[in-house]
């Protein structure tokens, strides 16, 4: 790595005290890598084709070896069984303390690591609204939503202030994983060291405070607001929290009881550095004063449900069925008015009506449970690789739309016709 900038080193000495020399020695070592398990798809790590070691930052978080190559091309990655994520980045969702049936906003969500964790904790209850202001990044977020099989979710691309004022007091928990100067990325991306400047740190702090002030609107009384960054800087972390609390007296600090990371001067916050076996993260937990009123979700099915779904499922997925521009969506119950909020997906795209015929979508199968599907084709190691390349395969199912599983996890679908499976794995996702 290039030499650390002097001003950065000085600040790290203030933050780490006598531990600074340990940090400095670690800057030339390899970066930690990890995965979080997606409980919507997998129950444990025994099925994974690589070794894992439990990490302390999240209950379903694991270290993986630095030498592990090509993980993104493994069938279980395509199946959404796990998400590749830097271990300390998993800490923020632990502080968020997701409970089933919560309505949760992930305000700066792309590419979607923390949203994947939140969805895994929600187990397809409640609602996960993931927002990413940068348009093309929100498409990556959507693709990860589909891979992870998230059905009770909304993906939007909206300015935080517009979104959070329109959804005033709607969410039980809001996560702000803010854009930052990335000091925790120095080992992973040595170019980040060259791009570092004090001015950038200070401008990031202004932007972070502004995003956090917007986010405050969306939290309901009695709700939780978690702020995180992948940087060490005092201004971008403790500084932002202190300024936010001074401007928002309806918020207070929560005591963080997690046993990981290093303490900060704020009882509500932890910092993780390579010394604590993570690349670098800061996370703080705040509480919006007031009584928390819990709501229950009412299940209702509305709209026209195409007959073809009865040929696919034993039990038709619940939700609100809405058709827009010949596309059928299954929306989560109780979602608020989404007009003007840059929503690019609410719930799942179930399929498309093409010339009076219904063609199901990849997302419909990815969010389904194999036991609820009438046709399931289990593929072995060789067959799944061929399937992910877009090839046809033999099928012992009856004619019709057929889910494809690998190690019991739905990885895609095809259409069985006279003993052959026509491949429906989306072209953009195929292994080349
Ligand atoms: N939470 C994500 C995850 O776990 O995969 C990582 C989020 S990243 C640290 C911060 C995100 O904030 C980026 O995707 C960036 O595009 C977005 N962003 C940039 N400027 C923003 C702004 N002014 N308001 C909100 N989000 C912004």
């Amino acid at each position: 790595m290039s030499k650390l900038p002097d001003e950065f080193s000085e600040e790290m000495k203030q933050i780490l005290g006598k531990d600074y020399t340990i940090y400095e020695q670690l800057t030339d070592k390899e970066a930690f890598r990890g995965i979080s398990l997606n409980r919507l798809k997998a129950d444990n790590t025994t099925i994974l084709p690589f070794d894992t070691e439990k990490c302390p930052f999240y209950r379903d978080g694991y270290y993986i070896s630095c030498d592990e190559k090509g993980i993104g091309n493994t069938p279980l990655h395509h199946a959404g069984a796990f998400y590749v994520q830097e271990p300390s980045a998993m800490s923020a969702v632990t502080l968020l303390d997701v409970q089933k049936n919560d309505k949760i906003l992930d305000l700066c969500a792309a590419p979607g690591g923390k949203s994947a964790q939140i969805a895994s904790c929600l187990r397809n209850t409640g609602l996960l609204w993931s927002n990413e202001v940068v348009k093309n990044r929100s498409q990556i977020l959507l693709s990860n939503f589909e891979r992870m099989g998230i059905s009770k979710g909304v993906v939007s691309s909206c300015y935080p202030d517009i979104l959070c004022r329109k959804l005033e007091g709607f969410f039980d928990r809001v996560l702000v994983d803010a854009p930052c100067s990335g000091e925790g990325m120095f080992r992973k991306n040595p170019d980040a060291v060259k791009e570092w400047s004090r001015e950038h740190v200070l401008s990031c702090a202004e932007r972070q405070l502004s995003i956090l002030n917007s986010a405050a609107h969306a939290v309901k009384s009695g709700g939780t607001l978690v702020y995180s960054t992948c940087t060490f800087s005092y201004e971008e972390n403790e500084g932002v929290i202190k300024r936010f609390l001074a401007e928002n007296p309806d918020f207070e600090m929560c005591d963080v009881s997690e046993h990981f990371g290093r303490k900060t001067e704020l009882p509500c916050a932890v910092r993780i550095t390579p010394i604590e076996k993570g690349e670098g993260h800061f996370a703080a937990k705040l509480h919006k004063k007031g009584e928390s009123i819990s709501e229950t979700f009412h299940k209702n099915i509305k709209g026209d449900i195409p007959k073809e779904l009865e040929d696919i499922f034993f039990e038709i997925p619940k939700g609100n069925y809405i058709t827009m521009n010949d596309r059928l969506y299954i929306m989560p119950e109780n979602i608020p008015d989404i007009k003007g909020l840059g929503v690019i997906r609410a719930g799942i795209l179930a399929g498309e009506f093409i010339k009076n015929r219904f063609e199901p979508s990849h997302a419909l199968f990815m969010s389904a449970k194999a036991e609820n599907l009438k046709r399931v084709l289990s593929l072995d190691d060789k067959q799944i690789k061929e399937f992910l390349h877009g090839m046809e395969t033999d099928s012992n199912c009856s004619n019709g739309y057929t889910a494809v599983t690998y190690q019991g996890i739905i990885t895609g679908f095809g259409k069985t016709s006279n003993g052959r499976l026509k491949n429906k794995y989306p072209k953009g996702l195929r292994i080349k």
Side-chain angles (χ1 to χ4, degrees):
M1 188 199 288
S2 335
K3 185 183 171 302
L4 295 172
D6 289 342
E7 278 181 287
F8 169 74
S9 297
E10 280 315 308
E11 182 167 20
M12 284 303 272
K13 283 178 193 163
Q14 298 285 319
I15 292 170
L16 298 175
K18 61 178 176 25
D19 284 352
Y20 176 76
T21 42
I22 309 176
Y23 168 77
E24 203 180 20
Q25 284 158 9
L26 290 173
T27 52
D28 282 330
K29 300 274 181 294
E30 265 183 307
F32 291 108
R33 291 175 72 204
I35 56 127
S36 70
L37 192 71
N38 178 15
R39 292 279 181 163
L40 302 179
K41 296 270 188 165
D43 294 330
N44 56 61
T45 54
T46 54
I47 55 168
L48 301 180
F50 45 81
D51 288 335
T52 57
E53 185 194 330
K54 189 88 199 64
C55 90
F57 310 119
Y58 173 56
R59 63 168 188 237
D60 284 327
Y62 297 86
Y63 293 107
I64 57 171
S65 160
C66 302
D67 305 326
E68 216 54 77
K69 300 277 181 287
I71 278 189
N73 272 338
T74 56
L76 286 176
H77 185 265
H78 281 263
F82 62 91
Y83 191 103
V84 179
Q85 198 176 9
E86 191 281 301
S88 68
M90 302 177 201
S91 58
V93 173
T94 300
L95 262 62
L96 199 62
D97 192 22
V98 176
Q99 303 294 318
K100 283 192 183 159
N101 292 312
D102 277 345
K103 288 181 283 184
I104 300 192
L105 172 62
D106 185 2
L107 191 55
C108 310
K114 293 184 175 78
S115 280
Q117 288 179 266
I118 295 168
S120 175
C121 297
L122 281 173
R123 304 279 208 282
N124 271 334
T125 68
L127 181 74
L128 167 60
W129 186 307
S130 298
N131 181 68
E132 167 55 48
V133 72
V134 179
K135 261 263 152 44
N136 56 0
R137 287 177 63 81
S138 67
Q139 289 299 329
I140 301 167
L141 178 62
L142 175 59
S143 162
N144 277 322
F145 250 55
E146 294 193 345
R147 184 169 65 85
M148 307 317 277
I150 302 168
S151 59
K152 298 256 170 63
V154 175
V155 177
S156 64
S157 183
C158 189
Y159 287 104
D161 207 46
I162 297 174
L163 185 77
C164 296
R165 282 180 192 275
K166 179 97 184 284
L167 298 177
E168 183 92 37
F170 182 75
F171 294 99
D172 300 288
R173 292 164 210 273
V174 174
L175 173 64
V176 174
D177 185 34
C180 67
S181 63
E183 294 163 352
M185 294 286 116
F186 282 0
R187 300 202 307 180
K188 207 172 144 193
N189 172 19
D191 283 346
V193 181
K194 293 182 208 139
E195 283 154 23
W196 185 93
S197 76
R198 183 97 195 115
E199 294 69 44
H200 187 221
V201 167
L202 297 178
S203 77
C204 283
E206 294 311 310
R207 179 168 61 175
Q208 288 150 352
L209 180 62
S210 153
I211 299 172
L212 205 51
N213 276 331
S214 301
H217 292 281
V219 186
K220 76 176 188 190
S221 295
T224 300
L225 176 60
V226 168
Y227 171 74
S228 61
T229 69
C230 61
T231 207
F232 304 119
S233 140
Y234 185 92
E235 278 89 355
E236 293 182 64
N237 293 315
E238 289 92 334
V240 166
I241 295 295
K242 283 161 95 174
R243 290 165 70 191
F244 172 80
L245 287 171
E247 292 176 21
N248 295 272
D250 50 339
F251 279 83
E252 62 195 359
M253 294 193 237
C254 297
D255 277 343
V256 168
S257 53
E258 274 74 20
H259 300 290
F260 55 66
R262 44 200 304 130
K263 288 197 171 23
T264 71
E265 68 171 43
L266 304 176
C268 66
V270 286
R271 180 181 273 102
I272 300 163
T273 75
I275 304 170
E276 292 78 39
K277 297 195 166 18
E279 284 314 289
H281 233 70
F282 174 93
K285 181 171 180 174
L286 305 172
H287 172 248
K288 192 171 192 173
K289 295 173 191 168
E291 282 283 300
S292 167
I293 306 153
S294 62
E295 284 172 53
T296 48
F297 279 74
H298 303 289
K299 296 205 182 308
N300 57 340
I301 296 182
K302 288 202 300 226
D304 291 332
I305 302 172
K307 275 264 171 294
E308 287 89 338
L309 289 184
E310 285 170 18
D311 186 50
I312 296 174
F313 292 100
F314 289 112
E315 195 186 327
I316 304 295
K318 294 191 171 55
N320 294 334
Y321 284 71
I322 289 162
T323 306
M324 278 183 281
N325 302 329
D326 291 333
R327 291 178 145 212
L328 179 74
Y329 297 88
I330 310 175
M331 303 256 218
E333 299 92 4
N334 288 9
I335 67 164
D337 180 8
I338 59 175
K339 263 193 231 97
L341 295 181
V343 170
I344 56 172
R345 181 61 46 82
I348 53 169
L349 171 66
E352 269 184 87
F353 295 97
I354 303 167
K355 295 185 194 144
N356 294 330
R357 187 172 57 79
F358 178 72
E359 174 84 19
S361 76
H362 177 66
L364 181 71
F365 281 87
M366 289 301 275
S367 64
K369 289 266 172 262
E371 56 272 22
N372 189 29
L373 290 163
K374 291 190 175 168
R375 290 179 205 84
V376 177
L377 180 64
S378 168
L379 299 185
D380 64 20
D381 285 0
K382 181 172 175 286
Q383 292 166 322
I384 192 71
K385 281 185 188 133
E386 289 170 355
F387 174 77
L388 293 172
H389 275 95
M391 288 158 72
E392 275 193 14
T393 188
D394 286 339
S395 170
N396 53 11
C397 297
S398 59
N399 286 353
Y401 291 110
T402 306
V404 164
T405 62
Y406 174 67
Q407 307 247 25
I409 302 175
I410 296 178
T411 310
F413 82 109
K415 192 175 188 183
T416 302
S417 174
N418 303 325
R420 292 290 286 169
L421 185 90
K422 194 164 171 241
N423 196 312
K424 298 278 179 186
Y425 198 62
K427 293 205 168 60
L429 300 179
R430 289 179 187 176
I431 300 179
K432 303 215 167 52

